[in-house]
Amino acid sequence: MQRRILGGTGISVSEYALGAMMLGAWGNTDHDDCVRIVHRALDAGINFVDTADVYAAGESEEIVGKALKGRREDVVLATKFFNPMGTDANHGGNSRRWIVRAVEDSLRRLGTDHLDLYQVHRPDPATDIDETLSALSDLVRSGKVRAIGTSTFPAEQLVEAQWTAERRGHLRFRTEQPPYSMLARGAERAVLPTAQRYGMGVLTWGPLSAGWLSGRDLSASSRAGLESRKFDLSVPENARKAEAVAALSKLAAEAGLTLPHLATAFVRSHPAVTSVIIGPRTLDQLDGLLEGSEVTLGADVLDRIDAIVPPGTDLNPADSYYLPPALADASLRRR
């Protein structure tokens, strides 16, 4: 497994990161099997594990903590905060009040005294970024956190955060974690260039585009456990994705690759990308992805991908997984 440096921090991370969203009630409910998945990934050379407090309401963090006993010092451990962790309005968001509690809860569940990377899971329009950066900087200075980052932030908010950190004397975000795949290339327009401009590490998630690029059946009936709108082929955006998947599958076969290996190699090929988060639910899924860890794509294959899905294009805008408050909240558009 090749290594890269994470956002100028000097921390060496594997080109694949193990995403833990599927460990627990959201995916694999067998804790012992989940531990085996983590151990298999570590044994294969993955040293980067990413989770979040919201995944299965903390269960994912607990499983990761159990799996890392005796191996913690060899792992770069990342988690995230922001999403609601209860019904109380103050049990979520990016306020100092919540951050200082959320980090303690995550440390306890993970069974560790520090986090290598603590990430803001989404922007919070109710909280000044100065407030968030101030609280996170204090966590770094206290030794509970080594570096801080963001997830699914639009480019303009990445720039604002860098500006605020410089002028207010806070530590700056060193990483961004955007969705990125052959079907969801919107990050190429501004997020990836912005990350490069500020020397930020990039951990991409969703390389298989929620299963569209897994090589499995795409019919809505086979995706009963997921939101049907994301796989309903009567939706025009999904129909376009299905056409693209068919073309990409043909390309993969002609290149002598599986579709998942083409998909992960595509994401790794972008110069802004530090590590690709893979989120297997089973050992077989993990092993299948690991087999493609050394695949590289030539310019001819990348050009053909560009012809199928143009650079910077999200075939379904919903795949950006972030709707700005100015669009989501009608009260912000009306007097």
Side-chain angles (χ1 to χ4, degrees):
M1 186 71 62
Q2 299 296 313
R3 296 281 192 93
R4 297 177 181 177
I5 299 300
L6 184 64
T9 62
I11 300 172
S12 174
V13 297
S14 49
E15 287 186 333
Y16 275 0
L18 179 66
M21 188 175 75
M22 290 289 101
L23 306 185
W26 289 11
N28 189 335
T29 58
D30 185 332
H31 284 207
D32 290 338
D33 194 42
C34 290
V35 169
R36 286 191 288 269
I37 290 172
V38 176
H39 289 173
R40 179 76 61 83
L42 299 183
D43 292 342
I46 292 177
N47 78 327
F48 199 4
V49 178
D50 176 81
T51 185
D53 55 5
V54 74
Y55 296 162
E59 185 183 3
S60 171
E61 288 186 328
E62 292 173 351
I63 293 170
V64 170
K66 180 180 178 181
L68 294 186
K69 286 182 179 178
R71 305 185 71 165
R72 172 67 183 92
E73 292 308 311
D74 298 325
V75 173
V76 178
L77 180 59
T79 192
K80 300 181 284 291
F81 69 92
F82 161 76
N83 287 286
M85 292 294 287
T87 58
D88 190 305
N90 286 321
H91 292 178
N94 298 341
S95 69
R96 175 181 286 270
R97 185 181 191 275
W98 175 242
I99 289 170
V100 297
R101 171 173 171 177
V103 72
E104 296 296 342
D105 289 344
S106 287
L107 290 171
R108 172 178 47 78
R109 287 189 291 261
L110 288 163
T112 186
D113 63 358
H114 73 280
L115 302 169
D116 296 295
L117 178 63
Y118 200 34
Q119 301 159 103
V120 187
H121 213 155
R122 292 292 189 277
D124 178 4
T127 306
D128 193 321
I129 191 64
D130 179 57
E131 174 86 358
T132 302
L133 283 167
S134 174
L136 292 173
S137 296
D138 287 347
L139 291 182
V140 175
R141 295 183 179 111
S142 74
K144 294 180 180 180
V145 172
R146 301 295 188 255
I148 57 176
T150 56
S151 175
T152 320
F153 267 49
E156 65 272 16
Q157 294 197 34
L158 293 177
V159 173
E160 180 187 7
Q162 295 288 328
W163 185 95
T164 301
E166 179 181 342
R167 284 157 179 77
R168 302 293 176 82
H170 303 314
L171 300 179
R172 66 187 185 92
F173 290 131
R174 306 307 297 260
T175 64
E176 160 58 11
Q177 187 181 131
Y180 185 40
S181 74
M182 293 190 294
L183 302 180
R185 302 183 61 174
E188 294 173 342
R189 290 195 302 269
V191 169
L192 296 185
T194 298
Q196 288 176 295
R197 172 67 180 83
Y198 289 102
M200 300 175 71
V202 174
L203 334 172
T204 65
W205 59 272
L208 302 187
S209 200
W212 280 86
L213 298 171
S214 67
R216 298 193 298 271
D217 183 10
L218 291 176
S219 66
S221 61
S222 71
R223 311 296 300 188
L226 300 173
E227 296 178 70
S228 60
R229 66 178 178 82
K230 293 182 180 178
F231 298 90
D232 183 352
L233 297 185
S234 69
V235 176
E237 294 84 356
N238 290 340
R240 287 197 290 272
K241 287 169 69 171
E243 292 175 0
V245 169
L248 292 166
S249 297
K250 181 181 178 182
L251 172 57
E254 292 174 356
L257 301 171
T258 67
L259 184 58
H261 292 172
L262 179 72
T264 51
F266 166 80
V267 176
R268 288 203 332 273
S269 71
H270 196 291
V273 174
T274 309
S275 189
V276 180
I277 298 173
I278 56 173
R281 182 176 53 83
T282 67
L283 278 169
D284 285 344
Q285 290 176 359
L286 173 61
D287 288 340
L289 290 168
L290 289 173
E291 289 173 0
S293 63
E294 302 299 325
V295 172
T296 58
L297 304 180
D300 56 334
V301 174
L302 292 170
D303 287 344
R304 291 182 63 184
I305 294 172
D306 287 350
I308 296 168
V309 182
T313 301
D314 285 331
L315 293 183
N316 187 340
D319 290 340
S320 69
Y321 288 87
Y322 176 71
L323 188 63
L327 302 181
D329 186 347
S331 67
L332 298 178
R333 303 190 300 275
R334 301 169 185 169
R335 291 185 180 277

